Amino acid sequence: MRLLSLVAGKLTLALLRATGRTGSALPGRVVETLSPKFLPHMLAQLPQGVLIVSGTNGKTTTTKLVAKLLASQGLRVLTNPTGSNFVRGIISAVVDKASWRGRLDYDIAVFEQDEAHAVHFAKMVTPRGVLVLNIMRDQMDRFGEIDTTLKLLEKLARAASDFVVLNANDERVSTILVDDAVKTVWYAHSEDLNAAFLSDDQLYHGAAANYALGGEPSVVLTGYDEASVSLLVQGSPHRYQYQLMGGHNAQNLAAAIAVLFQLVPEPDTSELAKAILTVEPAFGRGEIIQLPEGGELTLQLVKNPGGFTQALRMLELKEYATIGIAINDDYPDGRDVSWLWDVDFSAIKQPVLCGGARAADMANRLKYDEVKTLASYNDLDAYQKAFHERAASEGGHAILFCTYTAMLKLRSKYFGVASGLAEEGQ
């Protein structure tokens, strides 16, 4: 039955791709219905097991980083590159990469998982390792209170058989306890960077916020700029050339390296540096789009106060001639957009073009931080046209901050629908 379900999944995937869709979810749904134990059976083939990456912010980028770093050390890595982070998305990735006879020629799997679905996954497949990045207010209409998210991630961490990697600066993550037989590894940023990495609870305190350190970190982020990251790795200083901008991406790299050393204790440092230099942004997460008229557009996903605050710090690293913000309120974005009032927009020093279903709400929010709005467009097609025309006329660098469904729509305008996007309805 498993082979029959695999064939059905592969045929579903081929049909979806033939019609220009990504097939990131529907093949998994088909296979799961036909063979409920398909996933644990298939992943049991991997000699080095499965690593799960979860948390509120940074899952897609960190998963890509971990996979890239492990591959640089000669490991064959299976992952879910579309960012479809429900269980059916993982099944779809397995269907795509398996041979028609059901073989997975990989050493290890690195999967991004949504906080709620990760617990479901861990009941089917015991992860060798778990990386918990952070816990912040996000989609409260779906998750409820933030402590609910903590409980979910604690269940996930306790399912690990070998090790967990935790963010020592996150006061909620640092309360997670696992069995003594499971190794706990920490990563962190240094105290002098504290003002750049505020949790939800610290946002109103700014530079006066206390530095939290829940454990002794094996990897410490000590500095970053537009093109490099400085780290202390097991006490030794390292500086890496790095394309992914922003403090959030620097912290994601620290997490990825902490994971790497649990799986490859003595990595090839030359190959590691090459991998860090050449890794590119995950789609919509600081992704660079070259505009036909010249100049470039950075597409940056935002979805909660902590993530948006971090993303806005990108404006400190590079000058942008055109700035846009597109806010939708569909289910994947979170229906409640009141979180926008917990973001400080005063760092924006030029007029903003607003778009999306909640463009007027965004423009109103900016007004209270004395940020001017050029115009607001509810229709994203009209918005993309207006933004593109302005970016072309201004030249230089442009940046678009977008919620999830707005990002998918706007990105498809530049790349077309068959562009590797995660479409949960498929």
Side-chain angles (χ1 to χ4, degrees):
M1 190 62 185
R2 292 191 189 99
L3 281 179
L4 288 177
S5 63
L6 175 62
V7 170
K10 281 187 170 292
L11 292 176
T12 303
L13 180 62
L15 179 62
L16 287 169
R17 288 180 173 171
T19 59
R21 299 167 70 185
T22 66
S24 62
L26 183 57
R29 186 180 299 171
V30 170
V31 171
E32 191 174 30
T33 301
L34 294 174
S35 180
K37 295 186 178 180
F38 173 85
L39 191 59
H41 172 80
M42 294 294 289
L43 295 180
Q45 300 178 52
L46 304 177
Q48 296 211 35
V50 176
L51 173 79
I52 295 298
V53 179
S54 196
T56 307
N57 293 330
K59 295 185 290 291
T60 301
T61 296
T62 307
T63 298
K64 183 171 185 177
L65 280 165
V66 172
K68 178 89 171 182
L69 300 191
L70 291 174
S72 76
Q73 305 304 308
L75 292 175
R76 297 169 299 170
V77 184
L78 173 65
T79 189
N80 50 336
T82 65
S84 182
N85 58 19
F86 292 0
V87 172
R88 63 179 178 260
I90 288 181
I91 298 175
S92 295
V94 170
V95 167
D96 185 26
K97 298 301 182 182
S99 72
W100 286 87
R101 292 181 176 272
R103 283 191 54 82
L104 280 175
D105 292 323
Y106 295 89
D107 300 306
I108 190 170
V110 180
F111 293 136
E112 165 191 353
Q113 276 282 268
D114 168 271
E115 299 93 306
H117 286 261
V119 175
H120 176 53
F121 176 89
K123 289 178 180 177
M124 296 189 295
V125 179
T126 299
R128 177 182 175 186
V130 169
L131 167 59
V132 180
L133 295 165
N134 43 62
I135 300 173
M136 299 183 182
R137 281 179 293 129
D138 184 48
Q139 298 187 55
M140 293 184 71
D141 50 337
R142 179 173 162 228
F143 287 111
E145 292 299 323
I146 192 170
D147 290 336
T148 302
T149 307
L150 169 59
K151 291 175 183 177
L152 291 170
L153 289 172
E154 188 165 40
K155 286 182 181 179
L156 173 64
R158 287 178 175 174
S161 64
D162 194 351
F163 67 90
V164 295
V165 177
L166 304 176
N167 182 348
N169 301 126
D170 190 299
E171 293 174 319
R172 288 183 173 82
V173 172
S174 63
T175 67
I176 293 176
L177 299 175
V178 296
D179 292 339
D180 291 340
V182 177
K183 184 179 181 182
T184 300
V185 179
W186 303 91
Y187 73 95
H189 59 72
S190 60
E191 186 170 3
D192 59 317
L193 294 178
N194 196 50
F197 294 95
L198 300 180
S199 67
D200 284 344
D201 298 329
Q202 296 172 324
L203 283 176
Y204 295 105
H205 299 287
N210 292 328
Y211 178 67
L213 192 67
E216 187 64 32
S218 64
V219 179
V220 180
L221 172 65
T222 58
Y224 63 93
D225 56 30
E226 183 182 345
S228 68
V229 171
S230 297
L231 301 164
L232 276 177
V233 181
Q234 298 181 344
S236 299
H238 295 268
R239 184 171 179 269
Y240 297 105
Q241 298 301 307
Y242 189 47
Q243 295 186 62
L244 307 191
M245 280 183 56
H248 54 296
N249 282 323
Q251 193 171 38
N252 291 338
L253 178 60
I257 290 178
V259 170
L260 172 68
F261 273 80
Q262 301 315 302
L263 298 166
V264 185
E266 297 182 3
D268 182 320
T269 55
S270 176
E271 292 300 319
L272 175 60
K274 289 179 185 177
I276 293 171
L277 174 63
T278 57
V279 70
E280 296 180 349
F283 70 85
R285 280 82 168 173
E287 184 178 20
I288 305 295
I289 299 171
Q290 299 299 326
L291 300 178
E293 300 82 1
E296 62 181 32
L297 166 64
T298 298
L299 201 59
Q300 179 60 50
L301 174 69
V302 295
K303 60 195 186 89
N304 51 54
F308 209 154
T309 298
Q310 274 293 322
L312 287 171
R313 291 186 179 275
M314 296 170 69
L315 303 179
E316 301 171 4
L317 299 176
K318 183 185 287 188
E319 184 176 342
Y320 294 93
T322 306
I323 298 175
I325 302 176
I327 305 295
N328 274 356
D329 61 354
D330 294 333
Y331 177 75
D333 307 297
R335 297 289 189 183
D336 182 0
V337 298
S338 62
W339 61 269
L340 292 169
W341 291 88
D342 291 327
V343 182
D344 181 0
F345 294 97
S346 60
I348 302 177
K349 303 302 182 185
Q350 63 201 82
V352 174
L353 199 61
C354 295
R358 304 302 284 266
D361 297 79
M362 187 67 246
N364 184 52
R365 172 67 191 93
L366 292 174
K367 180 178 69 175
Y368 282 83
D369 277 348
E370 300 182 351
V371 178
K372 294 181 179 180
T373 301
L374 289 167
S376 298
Y377 297 83
N378 292 104
D379 179 73
L380 281 176
D381 289 323
Y383 176 71
Q384 188 271 339
K385 181 180 179 181
F387 183 88
H388 187 84
E389 288 175 352
R390 181 168 179 84
S393 65
E394 294 291 326
H397 302 292
I399 190 166
L400 257 175
F401 299 102
C402 317
T403 55
Y404 189 71
T405 62
M407 181 270 288
L408 294 184
K409 174 73 172 181
L410 292 167
R411 188 182 188 277
S412 72
K413 297 290 288 184
Y414 286 100
F415 290 112
V417 293
S419 55
L421 302 182
E423 300 173 23
E424 291 301 344
Q426 293 187 8

